[in-house]
Amino acid sequence: MHLSLLYRGRLSSCNYDCGYCPFAKTYDSREALRRDAADLARFVDWAGAQRMQLSVLFTPWGEGLVRRHYRQALVALSRMAHVRRAAIQTNLCVGLRWLDEADLGKLALWCTYHPTQVGRAAFLARCRELDRRGVRHSVGMVGLLEDLDEIEAMRRELPATTPMWVNAFDPRPPDYYDVAQIARIEAIDPHFRYNLAPAPSLGAPCLTGESVVSVDGDGEVRRCHFVDQPLGNLYDGSFAAQLRQRACPNARCDCYIGYAHRPDLPFQRDYAGGVLERVPSFV
């Protein structure tokens, strides 16, 4: 059995202040950080005790890599024989020496470039260092119209082998993008329309709740981040009896970490082996 876990703990603090983000420049109390670290250590201990094959993606509301406990968790998970992938969503703002201790054959980074928060040259320097170290990673941006030139510049300056994705700006007014602007973005990310205009989800097949689950800091398991009904708890094992095929109960799913697990969409094929870190199979 192989199980993918999308872990989102209590962390909500972020060192960036992007204007569209509700978590911009938020701060966790010392107690919240202590609890988050303890929860994460418990999760890593649970993972280490398993015999089934695991993959883990950390999807914190804030920025995880600025916290030592997330770096330590990724290192520990990457060095477990039964873990296929240990990945995290990150703004790539921290130094990379911590990677020296990780198994880079298993670790991966889903990196987002925020041009109002960091210069292109500095971000590209970190990407070059990831390349030098052989770290699997993708790079993405939010598709703000005022950033279209910057999106294209980032694509030109990244190595051709580094996949780049673009998320549609949301919430946005109707007709925010015109046909020409969509074409510019699709030249960079051919899957952009799945994020821009999500296919109806209600009744669609989905691997979440079967081979993919969402886990919070208390160990409560749900099928994904977007379906609130609990399936049980990770630590008492009660979730395992609830794993089975299920159709999506939502009218639509507009987030990659949800719709990428729909087998009727192309992501299981096009991103085979790299769905969690958003790295296409051709890389």
Side-chain angles (χ1 to χ4, degrees), residues 134-155:
V135 179
R136 283 175 64 87
H137 64 287
S138 65
V139 169
M141 294 177 64
V142 175
L144 290 161
L145 291 182
E146 58 264 37
D147 288 341
L148 280 183
D149 289 345
E150 188 67 23
I151 290 169
E152 291 173 331
M154 176 57 66
R155 176 65 279 176

Side-chain angles (χ1 to χ4, degrees), residues 48-65:
Q50 303 309 300
R51 294 186 178 182
M52 61 181 159
Q53 297 285 302
L54 301 175
S55 293
V56 176
L57 171 65
F58 293 123
T59 65
W61 289 121
E63 173 55 42
L65 287 186

Side-chain angles (χ1 to χ4, degrees), residues 102-133:
D103 181 343
L104 299 185
K106 297 181 180 181
L107 188 137
L109 301 177
W110 162 330
C111 309
T112 306
Y113 170 49
H114 300 279
T116 63
Q117 308 299 305
V118 62
R120 190 196 318 157
F123 187 88
L124 284 165
R126 294 179 191 134
C127 293
R128 285 194 293 272
E129 178 62 11
L130 294 179
D131 278 333
R132 187 188 71 80
R133 290 172 174 268

Side-chain angles (χ1 to χ4, degrees), residues 6-256:
L6 312 175
Y7 181 94
R8 179 173 287 164
R10 302 172 196 278
L11 186 77
S12 65
S13 54
C14 188
N15 58 317
Y16 281 4
D17 62 351
C18 302
Y20 53 81
C21 180
F23 299 96
K25 286 292 185 182
T26 57
Y27 298 91
D28 287 309
S29 67
R30 288 186 179 182
E31 174 57 25
L33 290 173
R34 185 201 64 76
R35 180 68 183 275
D36 187 61
D39 291 344
L40 186 55
R42 185 186 186 193
F43 174 77
V44 172
D45 287 346
W46 174 88
Q50 303 309 300
R51 294 186 178 182
M52 61 181 159
Q53 297 285 302
L54 301 175
S55 293
V56 176
L57 171 65
F58 293 123
T59 65
W61 289 121
E63 173 55 42
L65 287 186
V66 297
R67 305 299 174 187
R68 182 188 304 174
H69 54 278
Y70 279 92
R71 301 194 298 270
Q72 291 175 332
L74 286 163
V75 169
L77 289 166
S78 75
R79 298 177 67 173
M80 295 178 185
H82 61 290
V83 170
R84 294 186 189 176
R85 185 75 72 230
I88 191 170
Q89 296 174 322
T90 177
N91 61 28
L92 201 60
C93 64
V94 299
L96 301 174
R97 285 184 297 176
W98 64 277
L99 293 169
D100 292 342
E101 301 176 29
D103 181 343
L104 299 185
K106 297 181 180 181
L107 188 137
L109 301 177
W110 162 330
C111 309
T112 306
Y113 170 49
H114 300 279
T116 63
Q117 308 299 305
V118 62
R120 190 196 318 157
F123 187 88
L124 284 165
R126 294 179 191 134
C127 293
R128 285 194 293 272
E129 178 62 11
L130 294 179
D131 278 333
R132 187 188 71 80
R133 290 172 174 268
V135 179
R136 283 175 64 87
H137 64 287
S138 65
V139 169
M141 294 177 64
V142 175
L144 290 161
L145 291 182
E146 58 264 37
D147 288 341
L148 280 183
D149 289 345
E150 188 67 23
I151 290 169
E152 291 173 331
M154 176 57 66
R155 176 65 279 176
R156 285 194 303 270
E157 297 188 38
L158 282 171
T161 53
T162 300
M164 186 170 176
W165 47 267
V166 180
N167 281 346
F169 174 57
D170 192 43
R172 60 184 179 274
D175 302 320
Y176 180 74
Y177 301 99
D178 64 28
V179 172
Q181 291 160 343
I182 293 171
R184 289 174 66 182
I185 296 174
E186 286 188 314
I188 294 167
D189 179 1
H191 294 95
F192 175 65
R193 282 185 187 266
Y194 291 97
N195 194 264
L196 175 65
S201 291
L202 185 62
C206 188
L207 299 177
T208 60
E210 179 184 4
S211 59
V212 183
V213 295
S214 168
V215 183
D216 69 16
D218 292 321
E220 290 302 306
V221 175
R222 294 168 175 81
R223 60 177 301 179
C224 76
H225 290 331
F226 315 108
V227 179
D228 194 47
Q229 182 178 5
L231 300 180
N233 192 273
L234 194 71
Y235 303 121
D236 65 13
S238 57
F239 79 99
Q242 301 300 318
L243 297 180
R244 62 177 184 272
Q245 286 186 331
R246 290 178 170 85
C248 182
N250 294 338
R252 70 173 195 153
C253 180
D254 61 2
C255 183
Y256 173 88

